[in-house]
Amino acid sequence: MPAKSLEQVVNLCKTRGFVFPGSAAYGGVASFWDYGPLGVEMLNHVKRIWWQESVYARDDMEGLDAAILMSRKVWQHSGHEATFTDPLVDNRETKRRYRLDHLLKRQSAEVLEAICDILKPAPTFTAPSRQATISPDPEALASALIYHYREVQTHFSASTDQMKSENAAILMDVFGLTEDEVRRASADSPVPRADSKMFEPEQRDPLTAAAVLDPADGKPGKWTAPRQFNLMFVTHVGPVEAAPNTPEEIAARAYLRPETAQGIFLNFKNVQRSMARKVPFGIAQMGKAFRNEITPGNFIFRTREFEQMEIEFFIKPPQFTGEGEKTDEQWHEEWIDQRYRWWLRYATPPTAGNVEMEEIEERFRKRAQAADELAHYAKATTDIEYKFPGSLSWGEIEGVANRTDFDLTAHSGDVPEEDLKRLKLEPNKDSNQTFDYFDPDAKQRYVPWVIEPSAGVTRAMLTFLCEAYDEEVVKEPTKQEIDQIKSDAAMIKNNAEKKIKAAEKDAAAGKETKHDPVQVRAFLDQLEDVVNRLPESLDEVLLTLDHPGAENLEPVKKFRVPTEKFMEEVSRTVLRLHPALAPIKLAVFPLKKNKPEIVEMAKGIKRMFQKHFRTVYDDSAGIGRLYRRQDEIGTPYCITVDFESLEDRTVTVRERDTMEQERVAIDDLKDYLFTRLDI
Ligand code: ATP
């Protein structure tokens, strides 16, 4: 435990009905996925346990389901139209596109330091306030770079006549502007700057100068400047025949919501009044959100259509917090803690011992965002992160933000000047409401502050699947079987060494090579490491055969089939999901499918439970194989009906994690299972 690579989880999800690629018959659409019979069960369970804890288990929460499409003005005043953007950079050589902060995360410490060294003496950072923000932390450095490139572009757009051609070349080369755009940028620029030498060549283009590597080929790229890309999907409300960018077309525009939060803010007063709620109280909402992500990927980790579970928790502003009342910072801490514990609780199966529990906890962490990472509305945000397998590694699964009174004020029509100034907001002339609240105890009117825990449903499903995935050896292999693997590996090595030599020879002669010698060598190193650690590393043998360097090696193909068969005998894949998350809670099998009394009894047990939770009946294989199939999808309990059952009305109940079996009377099954499944 847990998954050693994302591919293990992806394969399981595709073959066992959790997740399918969207629109596959038409070649698929990048980053859209369909959730199959088991996937939809699991998503529903994630949402149910979240709703239970967030709404039912508390005295201070209400629920909501707002429309996905809202007035475009919502997104103008929330700041999303102007600022909900990601910076993307292109490598002009490989034509690959990356999100700047993601690209920086994949660089070595030396490269990040090199960028800092270039930026520190740059004229854009001579002011002491900016200097403080240059640090090798990838997120902070991304912000510093965006600021720097923007200033450089402004500088070179503002050209005097004699500088025009040199500046135009830089604008086209580094900033990817067309000739037309250069003409417009220069014309728009009010202050011609005198000296283009002010920016040394490496300061014009720090990413290229610092030899930032393209992860696609591992070589330094020729990078464009970061460009901001709005992540909201645009659609139109009603039939629109007008040409793009005409006032009629613009007026009909709407966005697919990129977060569910704004629907909650706009309903703050509706909920507060209709449910007679007093601050502090919160509103929970789950639903679809859409972001036109620049670099979707890592399976369902980052998709363009996903689901969120969000809470906006309304509290007193700090200036009205009385003695003994929780401050905004305390509320923030409390929510971070509460949500962190939720993640741990459901990542831990009830069968886990103390050691396993500690190991699980090491894969979850709280990370406070640096000042430069904070969204425009946030005073502070702490991300809850999970250590996903492979190169994905630490990734955000939930953000808990202190959004202050930004959103409710931004949507209010009547706001005092000083608040607009404090929150850097323009007056809202479109809204006919003011989202304030009269506090009957404090006898004061104020705009509440907001603490927002915001998690992804689909990302949660991936998190729990990665954490639950396990390949376990259930039968000790013999020395002979281990020796067989070693001798097969030696044969693969012999053959691969020859392929490496041939490929190197072809490359030297300028010919196309069938194998990539670097990749094949990397595969052999990994294989050697695994073989040296046998039998402990048995569960890594098949995984190693998926290495890109193993592709097209004939002995690998031959080795795979018997190894798969052997692994099926000695090991099992088991999803150690918390029972609350398991798509199927119970599977019932007849020991003999041609014995009508046994079949009838098994089907009767299925009928007994199926109205309470997802229960399946299966007689399509031997009992051992049926157990394996259910282990693989995380079913916590299986029941087998046999000859003895006909005599004494008892059945065998088998638990997934321990594989322990117990005889239980049919009449006691409800108590037995309901207690263990926490139903
Ligand atoms: P990231 O830094 O990963 O882009 P974010 O900070 O933009 O995430 P938030 O706006 O805080 O994310 O959204 C809250 C939660 O919604 C995230 O913690 C994540 O679980 C989920 N989420 C956000 N974007 C996506 C996406 N594209 N696909 C799936 N889930 C997402």
Side-chain angles (χ1 to χ4, degrees), residues 99 184 235 270 398 405 447 485 504 539 547 554 588:
R99 212 173 104 175
R184 259 186 286 139
T235 184
N270 291 338
E398 174 156 4
D405 53 344
V447 176
I485 296 178
E504 284 171 348
D539 61 334
H547 190 289
E554 278 310 313
V588 191

Side-chain angles (χ1 to χ4, degrees), residues 84 99 259 291 293 300-304 306-308 310 369 377 396-399 454-456 458-459:
F84 193 61
R99 212 173 104 175
E259 60 174 28
R291 296 182 187 179
E293 297 277 4
I300 54 170
F301 178 81
R302 187 177 305 285
T303 50
R304 295 186 167 126
F306 57 101
E307 254 183 304
Q308 284 189 314
E310 296 198 295
Q369 286 191 6
Y377 50 73
E396 175 190 329
I397 49 179
E398 174 156 4
S454 166
T458 36
R459 208 176 272 187

Side-chain angles (χ1 to χ4, degrees), residues 576-625:
R576 298 184 195 276
L577 286 171
H578 190 289
L581 289 166
I584 295 171
K585 310 285 185 214
L586 179 66
V588 191
F589 316 134
L591 186 68
K592 288 263 178 265
K593 66 173 173 186
N594 52 8
K595 187 90 185 147
E597 299 93 311
I598 292 186
V599 168
E600 192 34 53
M601 188 177 265
K603 287 188 174 166
I605 294 175
K606 183 205 171 203
R607 281 194 296 272
M608 199 162 121
F609 289 104
Q610 71 188 133
K611 55 181 175 292
H612 299 290
F613 43 71
R614 190 84 176 131
T615 308
V616 294
Y617 167 88
D618 197 355
D619 62 9
S620 62
I623 297 295
R625 177 157 276 218

Side-chain angles (χ1 to χ4, degrees), residues 52-68:
Q52 262 169 356
E53 169 148 329
S54 308
V55 183
Y56 297 168
R58 298 183 61 107
D59 301 322
D60 51 8
M61 290 290 302
E62 298 290 348
L64 181 78
D65 188 9
I68 289 179

